[in-house]
Amino acid sequence: QVLLVESGGGSVQPGESLRLSCAASGSIRSIATMAWYRQAPGQQREWVASRLSGGASNYADSVKGRFAMYLDNSENAGYLQLNNLKPEDTGNYSCNADIRGIGGRLRRYWGQGTQVTVSS
């Protein structure tokens, strides 16, 4: 059994920063990929960033240059650094990860999300 838990959300003013974490626990051999999504009230979930283990990160145009994603297999965790936050970045941020378990099976898992609110 694998569990993904996000943390690090909060309420900030425009221009401030947050660092989100996505921690995996359980019978894990490795994290193959991780992605971050966000969903604002009344809107569809949108992709924010993703990364293959050992590869480069990719970002949505709306966050490129402001957000940075990291993946640390030694910690079974990923991170999303949010800089220069704008009100339109407000939403529930969730991660998913393709995780290879101890038995070798690759499965996708989702976390429950962490809320980010940007307002003055």
Side-chain angles (χ1 to χ4, degrees), residues 38-46 88:
R38 67 185 180 189
Q39 185 168 23
Q43 297 188 20
Q44 289 189 332
R45 183 169 61 194
E46 66 170 339
E88 53 263 41

Side-chain angles (χ1 to χ4, degrees), residues 8-117:
S11 294
V12 298
Q13 295 188 342
E16 293 186 339
S17 299
L18 284 172
R19 187 181 191 229
L20 308 183
S21 299
C22 176
S25 61
S27 301
I28 299 167
R29 178 183 294 180
S30 64
I31 299 175
T33 69
M34 184 174 283
W36 286 91
Y37 290 78
R38 67 185 180 189
Q39 185 168 23
Q43 297 188 20
Q44 289 189 332
R45 183 169 61 194
E46 66 170 339
W47 169 76
V48 175
S50 58
R51 185 179 182 119
L52 288 170
S53 179
S57 299
N58 295 290
Y59 303 95
D61 288 343
S62 59
V63 306
K64 201 172 293 183
R66 299 187 298 120
F67 291 9
M69 179 180 176
Y70 306 93
L71 181 59
D72 190 335
N73 252 304
S74 68
E75 296 183 355
N76 288 333
Y79 305 92
L80 186 66
Q81 177 69 37
L82 287 62
N83 297 323
N84 190 22
L85 282 160
K86 304 176 180 180
E88 53 263 41
D89 294 320
T90 295
N92 185 273
Y93 284 69
S94 57
C95 65
N96 75 31
D98 293 327
I99 296 175
R100 193 170 300 281
I102 298 297
R105 183 180 178 185
L106 189 68
R107 286 187 59 184
R108 175 163 294 180
Y109 298 87
W110 281 90
Q112 292 299 310
T114 184
Q115 180 66 31
V116 172
T117 302

